[in-house]
Amino acid sequence: MDLSSYPRRRYTQGFTPLEHMPNFTKALRATCPDGAGPNVWVKRDDMLGLTPGGNKTRKLEFLVADALAQGADTLVTCGAPQSNHCRATLSAAIKEGMKCRFVIEERVPNTYKLDASGNNFLFRLLGVEAITVVPAGSNMLAAMQVVVDDLAKLGRKGYIVPGGGSNAIGGLGYVACAQELQQQFFDQGVRIHKIVVGSGSSGTHGGMLAGFLGNRINIPLIGIGVSRDPVDQNPLVLKEAQAVCDLLGLNITVPADSVVSHGNWWRPKYSVPNAAMVEAVQMLARTEAILLDPVYTGKIMAGLIGLARQGHFKRDESVLFIHTGGAPSLHAYEAEVLGLAEMSH
Ligand SMILES: *Cc1c(COP(=O)(O)O)cnc(C)c1O
């Protein structure tokens, strides 16, 4: 499989680290029945490039190359009020000398505050050109098209980066990650038995699945939904994986049973804190000094911890957690992650 024929910009030098987590493994095992927890490894995609990086960085390498090939001068994208994807897209635009505009969906009513901290603060510091706020359930594509039409009236050319950067082109970023991992497993002599990955707009999970199928990597991928239960999430992942395989000309029909995800840990609602997230964020911070975030990776790691306690992994199995980034939004939830706020269990 040859990715080099696809236009790509580079926002990270080299590979992100593949690290063993001895202290976290010990702490996790101490809380599992019979001490039978897995050995935990982390793929540090929180160390990708772009203010700071995360999984959106990999997708944007391919999406922005496409935007430039089409002669665009402005990136237009959408997300929630604490969107890492919007912040990363804005950062990529800056690097490329482009402008950037957002459509923000208030998924939880009245959560968009102009002076909010976290990513929202970074939107302003980095100098987003314009933000349109729309209510939950709006047609985001139509709202972004309005922005592109406005730009056209000014003689400019906007390029729509889909929500989360998740389409076939964006998914190539996680095909690249699959190949990077394959190389690291070989170079570092690491054997991984299962991989835990976040599953939201599904470019990460679906792109990685396509990369695994295309490269014949036979490690089960376990998605943890950040906003949906499997009945709603799995079809999105399947569709994304298939679209990526098709773009790559792989001639593969993605087997439906290769898509596995778990719900539960995202509740009560996307981006709303819960106690398991707080435990996960504190546990990794206090055992390995690695920051998770309240909206995504805290809940995804809570899924890994929960599955370990349910006996989902064997004692000597090595499980790899894909750290997809997100730390800036910690600052929008400081009281919650310190355990100083009321929340659901
Ligand atoms: C967007 C995001 C995810 C979810 O990835 P998708 O590709 O949208 O499924 C996970 N973690 C973080 C930190 C994110 O910003």
Side-chain angles (χ1 to χ4, degrees):
M1 223 170 74
D2 181 16
L3 275 183
S4 66
S5 57
Y6 297 86
R8 181 185 191 186
R9 303 292 297 163
R10 295 308 301 260
Y11 302 128
T12 309
Q13 285 189 25
F15 289 4
T16 60
L18 173 67
E19 292 178 9
H20 184 220
M21 300 288 129
N23 304 329
F24 181 82
T25 294
K26 198 168 158 219
L28 175 60
R29 283 181 173 159
T31 69
C32 290
D34 303 325
N39 214 350
V40 180
W41 289 72
V42 175
K43 174 65 171 165
R44 298 292 308 275
D45 270 10
D46 57 317
M47 293 172 73
L48 288 162
L50 302 176
T51 347
N55 58 347
K56 307 311 179 306
T57 305
R58 289 193 190 271
K59 305 178 192 184
L60 286 162
E61 290 191 337
F62 290 93
L63 289 161
V64 176
D66 187 49
L68 291 167
Q70 294 188 23
D73 53 42
T74 306
L75 299 177
V76 177
T77 198
C78 65
Q82 282 295 333
S83 171
N84 298 306
H85 166 70
C86 285
R87 185 244 310 140
T89 303
L90 172 57
S91 303
I94 292 167
K95 289 253 183 220
E96 303 293 355
M98 303 169 92
K99 298 281 187 211
C100 188
R101 297 187 174 198
F102 304 152
V103 178
I104 298 284
E105 180 187 10
E106 268 197 315
R107 296 194 199 167
V108 181
N110 300 314
T111 48
Y112 179 77
K113 302 214 163 44
L114 182 64
D115 61 350
S117 180
N119 280 308
N120 188 75
F121 157 74
L122 292 176
F123 299 165
R124 299 171 76 196
L125 176 62
L126 293 164
V128 64
E129 192 181 37
I131 298 181
T132 311
V133 181
V134 298
S138 299
N139 182 335
M140 299 307 281
L141 198 56
M144 289 190 284
Q145 190 57 48
V146 170
V147 177
V148 170
D149 294 345
D150 287 347
L151 288 167
K153 286 179 204 141
L154 302 171
R156 289 170 51 184
K157 184 158 181 182
Y159 176 94
I160 293 180
V161 177
S166 291
N167 58 12
I169 294 174
L172 294 178
Y174 271 84
V175 175
C177 182
Q179 294 185 333
E180 183 174 314
L181 276 172
Q182 191 171 39
Q183 187 66 43
Q184 286 179 308
F185 295 154
F186 181 50
D187 290 344
Q188 293 181 222
V190 174
R191 179 130 186 264
I192 295 293
H193 300 91
K194 284 175 183 146
I195 296 181
V196 171
V197 62
S199 207
S201 66
S202 81
T204 306
H205 186 179
M208 204 161 206
L209 178 56
F212 275 35
L213 291 168
N215 289 286
R216 300 184 180 279
I217 303 172
N218 287 320
I219 306 173
L221 277 176
I222 304 169
I224 305 291
V226 296
S227 55
R228 293 174 205 95
D229 283 335
V231 59
D232 299 314
Q233 186 65 23
N234 291 358
L236 293 182
V237 177
L238 185 63
K239 190 166 165 233
E240 170 73 9
Q242 188 63 57
V244 176
C245 287
D246 293 348
L247 178 63
L248 288 165
L250 287 181
N251 211 0
I252 291 176
T253 301
V254 179
D257 65 3
S258 65
V259 178
V260 174
S261 76
H262 293 268
N264 182 31
W265 285 285
W266 59 274
R267 291 181 185 283
K269 214 173 158 91
Y270 167 80
S271 83
V272 176
N274 64 44
M277 174 280 287
V278 171
E279 184 197 15
V281 172
Q282 292 187 358
M283 197 165 151
L284 195 66
R286 293 171 185 180
T287 56
E288 302 286 353
I290 293 175
L291 302 179
L292 296 171
D293 80 280
V295 178
Y296 295 99
T297 52
K299 290 180 174 179
I300 301 161
M301 183 60 98
L304 186 155
I305 293 169
L307 290 174
R309 289 176 184 160
Q310 291 167 16
H312 207 87
F313 308 113
K314 294 196 198 82
R315 184 185 296 268
D316 40 3
E317 270 185 345
S318 289
V319 175
L320 175 64
F321 175 80
I322 309 294
H323 191 335
T324 41
S329 65
L330 276 173
H331 300 288
Y333 295 86
E334 287 174 356
E336 288 85 353
V337 293
L338 289 174
L340 304 174
E342 280 294 313
M343 76 189 82
S344 67
H345 283 262

